[in-house]
Each structure stands twice: as C-alpha cells, then as structure tokens.
Amino acid sequence: MAGSLSTLPLPVPLPRQPLDPGGADAPGIPDDGGRHWYENELGWATVPGTPVRLVVGRRFDVLDLPLEAGRAALRHLGPGSPVAVRADRMRLLVAAGSAEELPGLLEWLEWGALDLDLVALGAGALMEAPPPPGAERDGARGVTERARGSQGAAVWLRPPEPGCEVEASLPTLSALGCRAGTPDLVRLVDTAAAHCHRVRLRRACARQSAFSQGLRPGERQPLAFS
C-alpha cells in the first residue's frame, strides 16, 4: 500500500571483532615479544616471524651446551657477557667469528677427538630471543606470561644491557694473554669442553647401570623390604 512502511527486515551489521590485548598494535606492549627492544636498544638484527629470532654471526656467536656444563663455564665470562637458557641447554654469547674458530681450538686443546655435546652457532644461524628484561614493568605482562607458559622457552640468565658495548664483554680468541679479567675464549672453551665430557660420562654410566639392572632409562629400581 502506498505510504506504508516496508516490512522487509533491515540488514544488521556483523559484530565488531574485539581488540586483541596482546596484539602488536596494543599500546605499551612490544611487538612480537620485544623485537623493537632488540633492534633499537641493542642494534641486533631479527628475522620476521614469531617467536622473535635473533640473527647470529653479525654481532655475536653462540656456544650451545648442556646446562650443567654451562654453569661451570660462567666464571670465565665477563660481568656483562649475556647468557640465555632454553630447557636443559645454556647459550653463551661469544664474539662474532668464534664459531669458525671452535673446531681448530678444540683440536689445539686436545678435545677434538671426543664427541662433545658442544655446538657453536655462527653466521647463518638463528637464536630464539628471550623476552626482554623487565618486560612486565614495560606493560608486556601478556608476552612474558606466554613465554613462561611455553615449555622450553628461552629466558635470559644474564641479559644484555642497552647502552653498553655488549661486544666488548664477549669472550674472544684475541683475549689470550691479555690482562686478568678479560673474557678469554680459550679458557671458556676448555672449561666447557671438560664439563661437557664429564656430563657425557656421567650419563653413559647411568645408562650402563640401568641396563645392567634391567631398567629402562629414567626408571628407578624398586625398594626391597624384608
């Protein structure tokens, strides 16, 4: 009928998607767990993607070894030498180019013939970036909690300090024979290799003992009661 209102239903707009409080555009929360912090505060290159990964071989190399062996090597690091931990592995940051020196250095120290669980990461490698120190104070509580909730996520044991010359604190081969207190790659690698060997022997003995008792790895012998 003329002049009557249409009875057809009007289109209803779809509900708006809620804002992601942990998104990269949220105020006070660093994108991708601190990419801005690494690139702008430290000048360390990263690659696109999540989690944030650091480019190794430009500003530093990495020695990756068992956590137990890494603890003994900490005394050969300078006070500003960064150290990261991921699951049961420790990652010691050393001077760029050290990865290329490691095989020859192990041979010179007479560790080259042994199968050590000591890995050097150099040019072309990537390292998962731990959350920046103080992330919760900077409003990145969600990022930090997600990192803590991820099994085996990397964390800083000794974080790098912005505004400092991190490279000057990294162990280097050229520090051999320098004054006491200078981070020395030779002493670091020798200590790390020795303790990697001890860890390897201890694990081999544990496996042999379990095998001789007919136990599977990690299984305990049942207690006997009279």
Side-chain angles (χ1 to χ4, degrees), residues 97-122:
S98 299
E100 297 180 1
E101 304 285 353
L102 183 64
L105 187 53
L106 289 174
E107 288 289 344
W108 184 67
L109 294 169
E110 299 183 352
W111 290 110
L114 298 177
D115 182 17
L116 301 173
D117 192 9
L118 178 62
V119 181
L121 306 178

Side-chain angles (χ1 to χ4, degrees):
M1 178 183 297
S4 63
L5 297 177
S6 173
T7 58
L8 295 177
L10 297 177
V12 178
L14 296 175
R16 297 178 61 185
Q17 294 293 331
L19 295 176
D20 181 7
D25 297 331
I29 299 180
D31 61 310
D32 293 335
R35 187 185 306 276
H36 175 87
W37 186 81
Y38 282 105
E39 293 183 348
N40 293 274
E41 299 294 333
L42 296 176
W44 291 0
T46 66
V47 295
T50 301
V52 179
R53 292 176 295 171
L54 303 173
V55 177
V56 180
R58 296 183 184 178
R59 305 288 297 274
F60 60 86
D61 284 358
V62 177
L63 290 183
D64 182 281
L65 67 166
L67 181 61
E68 184 179 349
R71 291 194 185 101
L74 292 178
R75 60 189 175 94
H76 292 300
L77 297 176
S81 298
V83 178
V85 173
R86 186 178 188 274
D88 60 347
R89 307 288 296 183
M90 182 175 289
R91 292 172 174 177
L92 312 176
L93 270 61
V94 295
S98 299
E100 297 180 1
E101 304 285 353
L102 183 64
L105 187 53
L106 289 174
E107 288 289 344
W108 184 67
L109 294 169
E110 299 183 352
W111 290 110
L114 298 177
D115 182 17
L116 301 173
D117 192 9
L118 178 62
V119 181
L121 306 178
L126 299 173
M127 169 183 163
E128 181 183 340
E136 290 187 2
R137 294 193 303 271
D138 296 335
R141 184 183 303 272
V143 175
T144 305
E145 292 301 324
R146 285 196 296 272
R148 288 177 178 174
S150 302
Q151 185 175 4
V155 295
W156 283 118
L157 180 62
R158 294 184 182 179
E161 298 182 10
C164 299
E165 290 294 333
V166 177
E167 287 79 2
S169 68
L170 301 181
T172 176
L173 191 61
S174 60
L176 182 63
C178 295
R179 68 182 186 278
T182 303
D184 183 355
L185 183 65
V186 176
R187 291 189 179 93
L188 175 65
V189 169
D190 192 30
T191 300
H195 284 271
C196 282
H197 183 52
R198 292 177 186 177
V199 170
R200 178 173 171 269
L201 291 177
R202 190 178 301 116
R203 291 175 178 174
C205 291
R207 287 194 297 267
Q208 180 62 31
S209 176
F211 177 79
S212 64
Q213 297 176 13
L215 302 176
R216 294 189 297 270
E219 184 179 11
R220 295 184 179 182
Q221 184 177 13
L223 298 176
F225 295 95
S226 58

